Amino acid sequence: MQLQSFGAALTVTGSMHLLTSGGRQVLIDCGLFQGNDELEARNREGFPFDVPGLDAVILTHAHLDHVGRLPLLAKLGFRGPVYCTAPTAGLAETVLLDSARLQVDGYRHDLRRARRQGVPDEQVPPPLYEEEDVHRALALLRPHLEFGETTRVAGLKVTPERAGHILGSAYLLIESSEGRLIMSGDLGNRESGLQLDFTPPPHADAVVIETTYANRMHRPWPATLAEFRDALRDSVRQGGKILIPSFAIERTQTILHTIKSLMDAGEVPRIPVFLDSPMAARATHEYFEFGDELIPEVRDALQAGEDPFRPSTLHVVPTSAESQRINRYDGPAIILAGNGMMTGGRIQHHLKHHLWKPSTSLISVSYQSPSSLGGRIVTGADHVRIMGEEIAVKAHVHTIGGFSAHADQDDLLAFLSTTGTPHVWLVHGEPDVMAAFLPVLDARGLKGDLMPDRQPVDLTGPGFPRGLPPGFDAAPTRGAQAEAGE
């Protein structure tokens, strides 16, 4: 088996891996690069392989950094099957249509600005894809993958198992006459407030594993819950708005369920909760159909016909006009809006209106890239620029890191503990984080390598020289160790 990584190699985003076995080619994920300008420029480089010649695509889950270039693949001539779980198919539709809308809106905005400046239209980069390309890609989806059941894909035996990251997320056991490979996709935090734990994997010859948080451990769930409860209580006493920036898939549902549980138990006051994210509202509907993936408390509520994601004071905000009216509401209220790193979306409007008020509280429940708006706020900036205007930061800022949907170091080691002694290839992580994980693997008798960017490796043979790639500088990077797409 040979693998080439054209994304998520030496970075945390753009997951895309080309597997060649027995003369057939299968693409594992087809994600969008997200982050700084250098990373996002890679989305326009084109695919360095024969797109129509691909035999199949397999998706591990529906986050944008794992599915976001699928419409571009279809636009460039791919017409083969795209295998995934049923929840992934449902969420992918929401994610990709939203991505196309944002790209088209961004292009139109850039075009208007360019024309005002006298710049020719052809110098404005067009959107990567539009809605029609999304529908072309969605028509290729084959939501036939079931946890624990083997499917034949281009001569390979593919068995998906529960990854515990988001709804429908799977890791893949891929078998051929050349060996047994595990592709982890993104693995979940075993102390998730929503997802069941990942299924322990079987023995394999090689494991390609994500390493987003391979150098750290998350705070235990009871401590995270207590921290969140105390932040809400303190914020209510301030009497102003409580802003919670959140990613639309998984994080929003976890936060809504947690708020409902705390309110029902009388541990926080029943104040209005505004869900100001149409994408999150649409995504939440998928959770009602696939409750078997969720922790017993949530699964049992769904089976009883209850809504575990609806606090009694919840108001869903469908339109931008209604979103603007929230800012005129008097008294304390929780506003849950996208996106998680505050780099866009409706949360920016609420920050502009409330961040300068001492009565406001901002509760960050997602990783914040140091260079992002959210990163500057949580690290103590006294002024930030929002939508072209300098805004003073007078709000009380709470940072809660234990809601992560990604595996930490202990989770990754637990995942590997049942795989025997495979060759371990590290992807989906910052290089310094992966470098720190190598000696941890070595201490457990496991051979580890960083998957090189775009260079083919023999997964079940001698492979790439052990350790760091030639010329690699193991100094810490300043890149975004974001929970990509969350």
Side-chain angles (χ1 to χ4, degrees):
M1 289 186 185
Q2 188 181 82
L3 195 73
Q4 281 180 279
S5 292
F6 298 108
L10 307 180
T11 185
V12 295
T13 186
S15 291
M16 187 167 65
H17 312 283
L18 181 65
L19 178 65
T20 302
S21 179
R24 312 289 288 277
Q25 290 194 319
V26 175
L27 199 64
I28 312 297
D29 287 336
C30 190
L32 201 69
F33 284 95
Q34 299 172 281
N36 58 34
D37 291 343
E38 182 180 356
L39 280 171
E40 293 194 0
R42 291 190 61 176
N43 292 320
R44 297 188 178 275
E45 290 179 357
F47 296 104
F49 49 80
D50 178 23
V51 170
L54 288 174
D55 291 286
V57 176
I58 308 175
L59 304 177
T60 62
H61 65 288
H63 272 147
L64 191 63
D65 65 318
H66 290 257
V67 303
R69 276 188 287 172
L70 193 61
L72 185 58
L73 199 74
K75 182 178 180 179
L76 296 178
F78 177 69
R79 295 294 180 266
V82 179
Y83 293 94
C84 61
T85 64
T88 292
L91 291 173
E93 179 175 0
T94 297
V95 168
L96 293 175
L97 287 171
D98 185 72
S99 174
R101 179 186 60 80
L102 289 174
Q103 289 187 52
V104 171
D105 288 350
Y107 170 68
R108 289 171 177 166
H109 174 270
D110 293 345
L111 194 61
R112 289 193 298 269
R113 182 173 60 183
R115 287 172 175 171
R116 289 194 297 268
Q117 297 172 353
V119 177
D121 289 0
E122 57 268 21
Q123 292 186 20
V124 180
L128 285 172
Y129 50 82
E130 301 183 31
E131 185 173 326
E132 63 183 291
D133 303 308
V134 172
H135 288 297
R136 188 179 293 117
L138 294 174
L140 303 177
L141 294 183
R142 301 292 182 267
H144 305 327
L145 297 187
E146 299 278 354
F147 295 145
E149 296 185 9
T150 300
T151 299
R152 287 278 182 177
V153 178
L156 301 167
K157 293 171 61 179
V158 178
T159 308
E161 295 286 2
R162 187 174 62 244
H165 174 58
I166 67 168
L167 197 71
S169 61
Y171 68 85
L172 307 173
L173 171 64
I174 301 175
E175 300 173 275
S176 78
S177 60
E178 299 172 323
R180 288 161 58 92
L181 164 68
I182 289 174
M183 300 287 298
S184 77
D186 285 351
L187 297 172
N189 178 355
R190 289 180 297 162
E191 289 198 88
S192 167
L194 200 57
Q195 287 284 325
L196 292 173
D197 295 349
F198 53 72
T199 302
H203 280 218
D205 300 299
V207 176
V208 178
I209 192 168
E210 71 121 311
T211 51
T212 312
Y213 291 117
N215 65 338
R216 55 165 278 188
M217 265 69 81
H218 299 315
R219 176 170 290 196
W221 175 249
T224 295
L225 188 61
E227 186 180 16
F228 185 62
R229 177 201 62 207
D230 293 345
L232 288 176
R233 286 175 174 173
D234 293 343
S235 301
V236 171
R237 282 194 288 268
Q238 299 297 326
K241 300 297 184 293
I242 302 168
L243 308 181
I244 306 181
S246 184
F247 295 111
I249 296 176
E250 201 72 19
R251 190 61 46 86
T252 291
Q253 291 76 28
T254 300
I255 296 299
L256 286 174
H257 172 60
T258 304
I259 291 172
K260 173 178 169 56
S261 298
L262 291 170
M263 286 185 173
D264 289 351
E267 296 192 50
V268 297
R270 292 184 183 274
I271 62 173
V273 179
F274 294 98
L275 176 58
D276 194 10
S277 172
M279 181 180 171
R282 290 192 298 271
T284 301
H285 289 296
E286 295 293 325
Y287 287 74
F288 289 85
E289 187 174 351
F290 301 103
D292 286 348
E293 291 187 33
L294 308 177
I295 59 175
E297 176 186 350
V298 178
R299 180 195 62 211
D300 294 347
L302 289 170
Q303 290 177 347
E306 302 170 9
D307 187 344
F309 310 113
R310 179 172 285 275
S312 60
T313 56
L314 181 68
H315 304 272
V316 178
V317 183
T319 67
S320 56
E322 290 175 276
S323 174
Q324 293 167 16
R325 284 198 289 271
I326 298 174
N327 294 314
R328 298 195 294 269
Y329 176 85
D330 290 329
I334 298 170
I335 302 174
L336 192 61
N339 66 33
M341 285 198 292
M342 308 178 232
T343 54
R346 293 184 181 180
I347 191 63
Q348 289 201 339
H349 295 271
H350 300 300
L351 291 169
K352 180 179 177 179
H353 283 279
H354 298 292
L355 196 60
W356 53 272
K357 301 175 184 178
S359 61
T360 299
S361 292
L362 173 66
I363 303 180
S364 171
V365 295
S366 303
Y367 176 83
Q368 303 298 333
S369 165
S371 61
S372 69
L373 172 61
R376 295 194 296 275
I377 292 172
V378 302
T379 53
D382 55 9
H383 286 78
V384 291
R385 192 166 186 81
I386 303 174
M387 301 172 68
E389 186 175 341
E390 288 292 321
I391 306 294
V393 182
K394 301 291 185 182
H396 295 260
V397 179
H398 305 263
T399 301
I400 301 176
F403 283 105
S404 176
H406 275 277
D408 65 8
Q409 186 181 99
D410 278 352
D411 297 322
L412 296 175
L413 292 175
F415 184 82
L416 290 169
S417 68
T418 59
T419 60
T421 55
H423 196 120
V424 182
W425 298 90
L426 309 185
V427 297
H428 203 285
E430 295 288 359
D432 57 302
V433 173
M434 292 190 282
F437 195 44
L438 287 175
V440 178
L441 294 175
D442 192 66
R444 285 157 178 78
L446 293 173
K447 296 180 180 180
D449 288 303
L450 278 65
M451 181 66 71
D453 185 19
R454 306 178 229 205
Q455 178 179 336
V457 298
D458 183 351
L459 289 172
T460 52
F464 196 71
R466 188 155 181 227
L468 302 179
F472 172 71
D473 180 2
T477 67
R478 298 181 184 275
Q481 189 190 29
E483 295 179 13
E486 291 185 1

